[in-house]
Amino acid sequence: MIYRSRRSLAVIAAALTTALLGLTPSVSTGSAEAVEADTDTAFAPQLVTVDTPTRADKQLLQTLGLDLTEHAGHDYIEVVLHTGSDAAVLKESGLTYDVRIGNLLEREARNNRANAAYAAATLQSPLPSGRDSYRTLPDYNDDMRQLANIRPNIAKVFDLPHPSLDGKAVHGIEIGANVRAPEDGRPVFLLMGLHHAREWPSGELAMEFAYDLVKNYGQDARITGLLDKARVLIVPVVNVDGFDLSRTDGGLVDLREVDDGGTVSILGTPGNAYKRKNCRVVDGQDTPDGTCRAFSATSPGGFGIGIDPNRNYGGFWGGPGASATFADPTYRGAGPFSEPETQNIRELISSRQVTTMISNHTFSNLVLRPNGVHPDTIGPDGNPVGNPPDEEGMRALGAEMTAANGYRNIHGWELYDTTGTTEDWSYNATGGFGFTFEIGPDEFHPPFPQVIDEYLGAGEYAGKGNREAYLDALENAVDTATHSVIRGSAPKGATLRLRKQFATPTWESSFTDTLNTTMQVGDNGRFTWHINQSTRPVVQEKLVEITEDKPVRSETYQGGPTTIGQHVDHPFTITETGIDVLQVDLDWPTPDDLDLEVYKKNADGSLTQVGSSGNFVGEKERAEIAAPATGDYVLRVINFASTSPTYDLTATLFDSTVVSSEEVPGLIENWTLTCEKGGQVLQQVPVIIDRGEQAKIDLSTCINRARNLR
Ligand code: 0X9
Ligand code: ZN
């Protein structure tokens, strides 16, 4: 699906509030006539997609004084129309646009109604926790404590090192067999939620996975086996300030629900339901606790305040796809890791051997893997960024996970360019595989039943869903083919430490990163330590390839008038093997609106969507399907809003040939392993190890010296 609706609805909520304040002198005494009269003429705030194929279009749009969202593609910009006069201004400009969400207020009110109805009708949901509604921040903290109380051998709560700017503690839960015993060299899987405040399901799914693991240890053989082999770290709420605001200081209330179909139409509360960022009010300054909530009352929806935690990580910080402007939704912050939220995750990952991690977000049904910028982008080292050296491995794991949740398995940059994201730092600094999950089809926090479906899977994914995808990721975390293992003998009770210090590149400079992890040697005097490779992906050698697409076959179909809302299917078959791209173009002469969807036909005749394009009024559509399999396809032309369209539909198969390639030489890096006893370093050795390798480490000097210590 095309991802475009990323602008905070909070802006809209706040604007609405202003508009509605005039309508609602007070809930109980408001004049019914006045309310109704105004409501009839009231403009429902909308989210629209404005077609801006040319620079001139973009510049024109920027002069109109409208609320442009930052989320824009090369040929469109999303805009919030707050009032009828906004809409009139846009219409008069001559720019064409497409209404994405016709009534934002009604949408939130509808969700609130659906949630209340579901919770009232449900005693126990099928989720591992049985919950039937979204958690609040205290709910998350209580749930983690409760899990640790119920099964203290399996679960333990930990504190992240930095409290939030508003002074709140940040907690996580560690789950594994014998979890309170000292570090014993098991690999770590990290699952996170709620970097972005409004993305509530991202925390719910992380927390449900915690319930699932804790409840099923000792019951379910697969989960028991995995928790014997690994430790799982779950931080369900990374951005505690933002989430708390979004969850409690926002939303819109449909008062017709409470006054029994009475006089008041709809009342919006000033709020932060769609806040994205953290609670930084002024760069570089902490503020008294509670400032964020107080301050946000004067800022539309809290939208302007804060730093985007998913642009503040150090890796390539300050590059494309992150804003340098404070009020922007993707504001990167004053410097790499300037925020407590990202410092917390940085220190967590730097102090453990996290071999696989997932950061949950909403929405778009995507599993995103590095890199965050297009491979052709010239990186800070002057070379094209290319694909990560582990492209194959991460793509394969992504494919496994998307077979479970039905999402699309793509690179981060295929959504849009980003820098300073969680996995672009963690993967390049540690080598541990990292993914962003964009959960759910089309809303930041949809009605709660959708959260259940996303976790347990629905339709053809029933019984799989993200639960299965997380288990796949956990399986990858323990798979020795995708990380490294060192083993040997060492003094019992000794502390082994792996340390690495290096310069992590930002877009324009670099900073010092330190990884420092430990384990304790058991009573048998042997150790097995599951670790990440010693050489960072970011400095590994790479092959930079310039490719050219050569058309192999092209078919054109012409279509005639259809009725609005109907579609025409064109069958298309691929017999050629090894095709790199199927490109489908849809063009038509009039400024109408046709959309395009591409399906692959399954053996049983059912269709699976493999591509779509539904962008702009009057703009031609293009869908690109990478590495299409042989078989039957359906090219569907949908009449979205056209009165008399004729169209040309062209399907072209391309082979990519490498026209030139250049080897960029790499570095080889080592871990420094120290063997420590009684606070003394008894031996220090460099460890050079690749992904998938296992090595025996000779620590006999440490053993001998430890003997002499006694
Ligand atoms: O923009 C983001 O931070 C993520 N989307 S969201 O709507 N949840 O805000 C996507 C990030 C994608 N890119 C990488 N993770 N590299
Ligand atoms: Zn997000």
Side-chain angles (χ1 to χ4, degrees):
M1 93 176 256
I2 308 293
Y3 186 78
R4 300 147 101 200
S5 152
R6 301 164 30 71
R7 171 65 163 194
S8 160
L9 300 189
V11 176
I12 301 134
L16 269 173
T17 307
T18 327
L20 285 161
L21 282 176
L23 304 184
T24 51
S26 110
V27 173
S28 51
T29 61
S31 131
E33 295 82 335
V35 168
E36 275 164 4
D38 272 346
T39 309
D40 286 343
T41 53
F43 176 82
Q46 298 182 333
L47 188 64
V48 302
T49 303
V50 182
D51 179 18
T52 55
T54 67
R55 253 183 96 72
D57 291 335
K58 289 187 180 67
Q59 282 161 352
L60 170 62
L61 181 58
Q62 272 157 355
T63 62
L64 301 179
L66 297 174
D67 182 4
L68 307 197
T69 77
E70 89 298 356
H71 285 122
H74 54 283
D75 39 17
Y76 70 90
I77 298 178
E78 289 205 347
V79 174
V80 180
L81 300 178
H82 297 281
T83 60
S85 70
D86 278 359
V89 165
L90 183 56
K91 274 195 196 103
E92 278 159 26
S93 75
L95 292 166
T96 51
Y97 66 97
D98 192 11
V99 176
R100 284 253 316 138
I101 300 178
N103 184 336
L104 288 155
L105 183 56
E106 169 48 27
R107 172 124 154 185
E108 184 74 0
R110 186 197 70 207
N111 286 0
N112 287 347
R113 284 197 298 274
N115 282 337
Y118 180 76
T122 310
L123 224 49
Q124 173 99 0
S125 80
L127 287 173
S129 72
R131 277 196 72 94
D132 57 16
S133 60
Y134 283 108
R135 290 172 171 88
T136 60
L137 183 60
D139 289 340
Y140 277 105
N141 292 334
D142 289 348
D143 281 359
M144 285 190 272
R145 260 192 301 273
Q146 210 196 331
L147 285 178
N149 283 339
I150 295 169
R151 299 199 78 178
N153 291 332
I154 307 303
K156 133 182 137 186
V157 174
F158 61 93
D159 291 345
L160 279 296
H162 303 273
S164 72
L165 291 162
D166 251 11
K168 295 187 181 69
V170 186
H171 303 294
I173 184 164
E174 177 163 347
I175 304 168
N178 224 345
V179 76
R180 282 162 213 269
E183 276 283 354
D184 49 3
R186 280 182 272 166
V188 176
F189 170 55
L190 170 63
L191 179 62
M192 289 169 283
L194 284 160
H195 272 77
H196 290 141
R198 61 194 172 196
E199 300 175 2
W200 306 351
S202 69
E204 292 294 332
L205 265 55
M207 200 62 223
E208 291 303 328
F209 193 58
Y211 266 87
D212 221 330
L213 295 178
V214 173
K215 275 177 66 174
N216 282 312
Y217 182 79
Q219 307 286 322
D220 173 297
R222 182 181 181 201
I223 287 178
T224 309
L226 283 167
L227 292 179
D228 284 342
K229 284 197 199 145
R231 289 168 184 260
V232 179
L233 303 176
I234 298 184
V235 184
V237 189
V238 172
N239 176 3
V240 290
D241 290 344
F243 170 64
D244 189 43
L245 267 180
S246 168
R247 181 68 184 80
T248 62
D249 177 41
L252 300 156
V253 182
D254 183 342
L255 286 171
R256 285 171 304 190
E257 292 296 299
V258 287
D259 73 353
D260 212 11
T263 53
V264 180
S265 176
I266 297 173
L267 178 71
T269 58
N272 285 282
Y274 289 89
K275 179 178 174 65
R276 169 182 171 94
K277 300 187 287 177
N278 77 351
C279 276
R280 178 74 73 185
V281 177
V282 183
D283 263 334
Q285 276 178 35
D286 200 356
T287 39
D289 296 352
T291 308
C292 187
R293 186 177 293 264
F295 193 88
S296 66
T298 60
S299 162
F303 193 64
I305 297 169
I307 279 133
D308 182 352
N310 208 28
R311 299 294 182 280
N312 187 246
Y313 285 84
F316 301 129
W317 179 89
S323 171
T325 304
F326 186 87
D328 281 354
T330 60
Y331 179 49
R332 65 196 187 190
F337 293 116
S338 57
E339 304 309 299
E341 294 82 8
T342 54
Q343 287 163 16
N344 278 335
I345 301 307
R346 175 196 200 182
E347 288 168 37
L348 185 64
I349 291 177
S350 301
S351 62
R352 307 296 295 266
Q353 294 287 347
V354 178
T355 55
T356 307
M357 79 95 197
I358 294 173
S359 179
N360 284 332
H361 288 251
T362 62
F363 57 83
S364 275
N365 285 357
L366 301 171
V367 167
L368 302 173
R369 63 181 186 275
N371 288 321
V373 291
H374 190 283
D376 292 349
T377 314
I378 302 299
D381 64 356
N383 292 310
V385 169
N387 268 328
D390 299 297
E391 161 66 4
E392 216 175 294
M394 285 192 282
R395 190 184 51 219
L397 176 54
E400 208 184 320
M401 297 190 293
T402 52
N405 60 18
Y407 295 179
R408 282 172 62 209
N409 178 33
I410 61 174
H411 301 93
W413 59 262
E414 292 178 75
L415 178 54
Y416 42 76
D417 275 353
T418 54
T419 48
T421 64
T422 315
E423 73 274 14
D424 273 8
W425 169 74
S426 69
Y427 166 69
N428 279 302
T430 71
F433 283 6
F435 296 86
T436 288
F437 276 28
E438 294 281 1
I439 296 166
D442 52 16
E443 274 182 275
F444 287 116
H445 44 260
F448 195 76
Q450 212 186 87
V451 175
I452 301 172
D453 286 351
E454 291 296 327
Y455 187 69
L456 295 172
E460 63 177 301
Y461 301 99
K464 296 192 273 184
N466 279 306
R467 174 187 201 265
E468 178 64 29
Y470 297 154
L471 287 170
D472 291 340
L474 176 50
E475 265 156 5
N476 183 77
V478 304
D479 181 354
T480 52
T482 64
H483 61 261
S484 319
V485 184
I486 55 173
R487 59 177 102 242
S489 298
K492 63 179 183 193
T495 298
L496 302 185
R497 184 184 306 277
L498 280 170
R499 204 167 177 279
K500 239 158 87 72
Q501 196 165 64
F502 45 83
T504 288
T506 60
W507 204 254
E508 276 167 3
S509 160
S510 71
F511 62 93
T512 303
D513 245 336
T514 307
L515 308 181
N516 188 341
T517 65
T518 60
M519 72 163 284
Q520 195 174 311
V521 181
D523 283 344
N524 63 2
R526 316 200 125 264
F527 69 90
T528 302
W529 198 354
H530 295 258
I531 63 174
N532 280 315
Q533 65 195 63
S534 60
T535 299
R536 286 172 295 147
V538 74
V539 298
Q540 273 179 248
E541 63 181 18
K542 62 181 175 184
L543 188 66
V544 175
E545 289 181 339
I546 310 293
T547 58
E548 213 171 72
D549 286 341
K550 180 168 86 317
V552 174
R553 177 162 64 92
S554 193
E555 311 274 354
T556 298
Y557 311 87
Q558 256 125 28
T562 53
T563 358
I564 292 178
Q566 304 223 311
H567 63 255
V568 180
D569 284 349
H570 298 270
F572 179 74
T573 303
I574 301 180
T575 48
E576 300 88 335
T577 52
I579 293 294
D580 289 303
V581 182
L582 161 62
Q583 180 181 306
V584 187
D585 288 294
L586 178 63
D587 201 1
W588 57 91
T590 48
D592 281 323
D593 194 8
L594 292 174
D595 285 348
L596 170 67
E597 289 174 356
V598 182
Y599 293 88
K600 174 105 190 357
K601 218 179 207 160
N602 302 313
D604 64 359
S606 63
L607 300 177
T608 301
Q609 190 173 322
V610 290
S612 70
S613 175
N615 293 351
F616 336 103
V617 179
E619 178 64 1
K620 77 175 190 176
E621 309 284 356
R622 170 173 292 177
E624 285 177 309
I625 293 96
T630 55
D632 291 334
Y633 288 77
V634 169
L635 317 178
R636 176 169 294 177
V637 177
I638 301 160
N639 184 343
F640 190 72
S642 299
T643 44
S644 59
T646 57
Y647 59 83
D648 287 336
L649 177 71
T650 310
T652 313
L653 299 172
F654 287 101
D655 258 352
S656 304
T657 44
V658 176
V659 289
S660 71
S661 71
E662 188 201 345
E663 184 92 36
V664 181
L667 300 177
I668 292 176
E669 297 181 327
N670 64 279
W671 287 104
T672 299
L673 175 67
T674 51
C675 178
E676 304 170 11
K677 192 89 207 263
Q680 286 183 53
V681 174
L682 303 182
Q683 191 181 354
Q684 174 169 324
V685 291
V687 174
I688 292 177
I689 192 159
D690 273 346
R691 192 185 298 283
E693 270 184 4
Q694 308 209 1
K696 201 159 175 269
I697 308 290
D698 180 3
L699 292 178
S700 49
T701 306
C702 188
I703 295 174
N704 291 336
R705 288 192 175 152
R707 261 190 215 120
N708 296 337
L709 273 184
R710 286 197 216 115

